[in-house]
Amino acid sequence: MYTRPSLRRSRRTRSRTTVRVTASLFTAAALLVSACSSGSPTTSSGGAADAVLAALPRATPSALSSYYTQQLHWHSCGVPGYQCATMKAPLDYAKPGSGDVRLAVARKKASGKGKPLGSLLVNPGGPGGSAVSYLQSYAGVGYPADVRARYDMVAVDPRGVARSEPVECLDGRQMDTYTQTDLTPDDQQERNALVTADKKFAQSCGAHSARLLRHVSTVEAARDMDILRAALGDQKLNYVGASYGTFLGATYAGLFPDRVGRVVLDGAMDPTLDARKMTLDQTAGFETAFQAFAKDCVRHSDCSLGGKGTTPAQVGDHLKAFFRKLDQHPVPAGDAAGRKLGEALATTGVIAAMYDQAEWEQLRKALTSATKQNDGGGLLALSDSYYERDADGHYSNLMMANAAVNCLDLPPAFTGPDQVEKALPTFEKASPVFGEGLAWAALNCAYWPVKATGAAHRIEAKGAAPIVVVGTTRDPATPYRWAQSLAGQLSSARLLTYVGDGHTAYGRGSTCIDTAINTYLLDGTPPSPKKRCS
């Protein structure tokens, strides 16, 4: 939703590791939620809001048998305690003989005593987040010891992501230019520049990744997960997905309800929403998060946006005034590549910190440095972390994969700048601080070289074992009502609520949440209906 990349990834891992691992997103690629996709006739007839993801036949088609029976050859992959392998999946499930895609898989074997529970697949979201990096830098060491003792912790980078034949578009210098594109155009010239930037990005992806772009949908990635389940020797899929990973997990459940094991969907997405409604909901979500930040900020002496007695609305006004100033006069940021902090990068930096209240202190200091000391380095660092840009100017393929999946999964939120202009009042009402930029950021899929193959739909997964859906009441990236909606769709869902701030809930400090999820993962007992934690 505010993209380049998108807003669907969990931010919790950045504060815990030096390697940034995604799970939801932001800046000019639009945040969209995947729906159905090419390669499988998976929806019933009818309107998008009424369509239901249909289960695939239980019997494995003979054309796919070689994929389901493949042997994974595990080897050391440079990180002590982990093994890696390469898995094959059909590039096009409708034409299995037309070529393969090779997917990177990693695992950490169960480390303790007790009855083994099989594999636990993890995904941090995105789309575009590397699940392998997430496993090696966080889940494999940060998940509860009891869980790691009894499960083989497993991850696969989805097709088009990181180590799995990554989608490629712009190089580092070009990405630097793209991420600085003005998302609040003041005149026709700036509006044309934004459209040109989105077109160039899309055309570059089409030129460099033509083979993949039609086959990176969420449905295809979910089908890949079932091949992995079989290759691992598991009868059921056990899974923890965050943010966009909840949509991937729910899609798996809808396609293969009889193969659902213990599944946790944390920071849930709502597959019934079209791209524009999703973007608007998320815009309101970031406003809610900013209001919470503003209330906290004015209690601290280092809040440069206002002191005691300043209202959240006034804090927002001060931030908008700062953004307008940067739009005209970017400030130095001590960057080796010569970048300065302008409005686009500053906005990305602020939004990045909205994912986790643990980052609010860092944001306050960064804002103080930028507003009082004319030093944009702190906000630039937040933005670079969000974009997965390293000190040498190299970007991961997060933004490229993010756009590729999003633009394939749902038709674009807007088909041209005139539609954005008409929608601006609605978006600015949803968020006076971020609404304009988030609306313009949702334009990128309008120029995508491949037409969307998916659409909004319901996921019911009738017959599936209990699925735990987790929602945070003031989640900025996946609003709480999305979790409520998904839990209402899934026939076997149990909604687990975290009353608090930040994106996702598991492993973020709530003993109540962690205990409920750990109990479910270890003995299969889901939380009581409508359980709430703080």
Side-chain angles (χ1 to χ4, degrees):
M1 284 317 166
Y2 189 57
T3 148
R4 276 200 190 126
S6 144
L7 293 167
R8 282 183 268 168
R9 63 175 191 242
S10 164
R11 301 291 303 169
R12 67 185 177 211
T13 56
R14 189 182 65 177
S15 61
R16 299 185 182 182
T17 73
T18 54
V19 178
R20 203 172 85 51
V21 185
T22 56
S24 210
L25 306 104
F26 161 70
T27 245
L31 172 107
L32 316 173
V33 170
S34 324
C36 304
S37 96
S38 63
S40 56
T42 54
T43 54
S44 64
S45 59
D50 298 323
V52 178
L53 186 66
L56 290 170
R58 293 190 178 189
T60 300
S62 59
L64 298 179
S65 61
S66 63
Y67 296 103
Y68 272 82
T69 58
Q70 68 184 289
Q71 298 294 312
L72 298 180
H73 300 288
W74 297 100
H75 56 84
S76 175
C77 46
V79 180
Y82 295 86
Q83 298 173 312
C84 291
T86 300
M87 185 187 85
K88 292 192 300 183
L91 176 67
D92 184 348
Y93 276 92
K95 301 176 181 178
S98 63
D100 297 337
V101 59
R102 295 180 178 273
L103 307 178
V105 183
R107 75 177 178 186
K108 186 177 185 182
K109 296 285 288 181
S111 59
K113 298 179 180 180
K115 181 181 179 181
L117 294 172
S119 304
L120 179 63
L121 189 65
V122 296
N123 183 282
S130 171
V132 171
S133 293
Y134 175 74
L135 173 67
Q136 294 176 341
S137 63
Y138 173 65
V141 293
Y143 269 42
D146 288 347
V147 173
R148 291 183 284 115
R150 298 181 63 191
Y151 283 102
D152 290 345
M153 302 292 294
V154 179
V156 56
D157 281 347
R159 51 177 64 204
V161 174
R163 300 164 178 82
S164 294
E165 299 194 22
V167 170
E168 297 179 350
C169 303
L170 304 177
D171 63 26
R173 287 180 177 270
Q174 293 170 327
M175 285 293 292
D176 278 349
T177 299
Y178 185 58
T179 58
Q180 295 177 77
T181 302
D182 188 351
L183 291 175
T184 57
D186 300 316
D187 52 37
Q188 188 62 45
Q189 182 178 356
E190 290 186 350
R191 190 169 85 162
N192 291 343
L194 190 157
V195 169
T196 298
D198 281 339
K199 287 182 176 179
K200 181 178 180 179
F201 183 88
Q203 291 166 359
S204 178
C205 295
H208 294 292
S209 299
R211 176 178 179 269
L212 275 174
L213 285 192
R214 288 180 172 82
H215 298 291
V216 292
S217 69
T218 297
V219 164
E220 288 162 312
R223 297 189 70 172
D224 295 343
M225 283 168 36
D226 196 54
I227 292 177
L228 177 58
R229 174 201 57 77
L232 293 169
D234 292 325
Q235 295 299 312
K236 305 280 186 178
L237 181 80
N238 302 310
Y239 175 84
V240 177
S243 200
Y244 163 79
T246 68
F247 180 59
L248 181 58
T251 299
Y252 179 90
L255 295 174
F256 306 103
D258 59 306
R259 297 172 193 169
V260 169
R262 298 171 188 179
V263 171
V264 178
L265 307 178
D266 184 15
M269 303 196 66
D270 182 359
T272 67
L273 302 179
D274 63 29
R276 189 182 302 190
K277 182 62 168 72
M278 187 174 302
T279 306
L280 185 61
D281 276 3
Q282 198 170 47
T283 299
F286 274 87
E287 182 66 23
T288 297
F290 179 75
Q291 293 290 315
F293 165 76
K295 291 178 182 178
D296 179 76
C297 186
V298 298
R299 301 189 185 107
H300 298 270
S301 59
D302 61 350
C303 181
S304 62
L305 299 177
K308 187 176 181 180
T310 307
T311 67
Q314 290 172 322
V315 172
D317 289 341
H318 296 161
L319 183 61
K320 287 171 60 180
F322 171 58
F323 286 159
R324 286 194 296 269
K325 181 179 178 180
L326 291 178
D327 189 28
Q328 299 298 319
H329 304 287
V331 301
D335 179 57
R339 294 175 302 159
K340 292 187 175 182
L341 182 75
E343 181 182 16
L345 293 176
T347 304
T348 304
V350 172
I351 286 186
M354 294 298 101
Y355 283 84
D356 190 341
Q357 65 268 39
E359 298 182 359
W360 289 357
E361 179 180 3
Q362 182 180 355
L363 176 58
R364 291 198 310 271
K365 292 179 178 178
L367 285 168
T368 298
S369 294
T371 59
K372 303 298 185 183
Q373 301 163 15
N374 209 42
D375 178 4
L379 283 173
L380 183 63
L382 282 167
S383 177
D384 283 351
S385 176
Y386 199 87
Y387 284 128
E388 295 191 353
R389 180 193 189 275
D390 66 23
D392 294 325
H394 300 133
Y395 289 77
S396 76
N397 91 310
L398 168 66
M399 288 175 54
M400 293 81 154
N402 181 271
V405 176
N406 286 337
C407 296
L408 194 62
D409 276 351
L410 284 179
F414 302 106
T415 59
D418 289 344
Q419 287 189 352
V420 180
E421 291 277 8
K422 291 179 181 178
L424 284 179
T426 301
F427 276 78
E428 290 176 318
K429 181 179 180 181
S431 175
V433 177
F434 305 119
E436 182 182 5
L438 292 170
W440 281 108
L443 182 62
N444 73 313
C445 286
Y447 310 109
W448 202 244
V450 177
K451 288 186 177 181
T453 54
H457 59 278
R458 291 175 55 82
I459 300 178
E460 297 179 353
K462 292 183 179 179
I467 297 172
V468 176
V469 176
V470 187
T472 298
T473 56
R474 293 186 294 278
D475 190 317
T478 51
Y480 178 62
R481 60 178 169 273
W482 291 2
Q484 293 175 302
S485 177
L486 181 61
Q489 296 167 51
L490 292 170
S491 62
S492 61
R494 292 287 181 90
L495 178 62
L496 176 61
T497 299
Y498 174 57
V499 180
D501 297 292
H503 182 42
T504 72
Y506 186 42
R508 294 189 61 245
S510 170
T511 301
C512 175
I513 289 288
D514 292 353
T515 299
I517 293 176
N518 294 340
T519 299
Y520 169 67
L521 291 176
L522 293 171
D523 67 23
T525 303
S528 58
K530 299 182 181 180
K531 182 177 179 64
R532 296 174 71 85
C533 297
S534 58

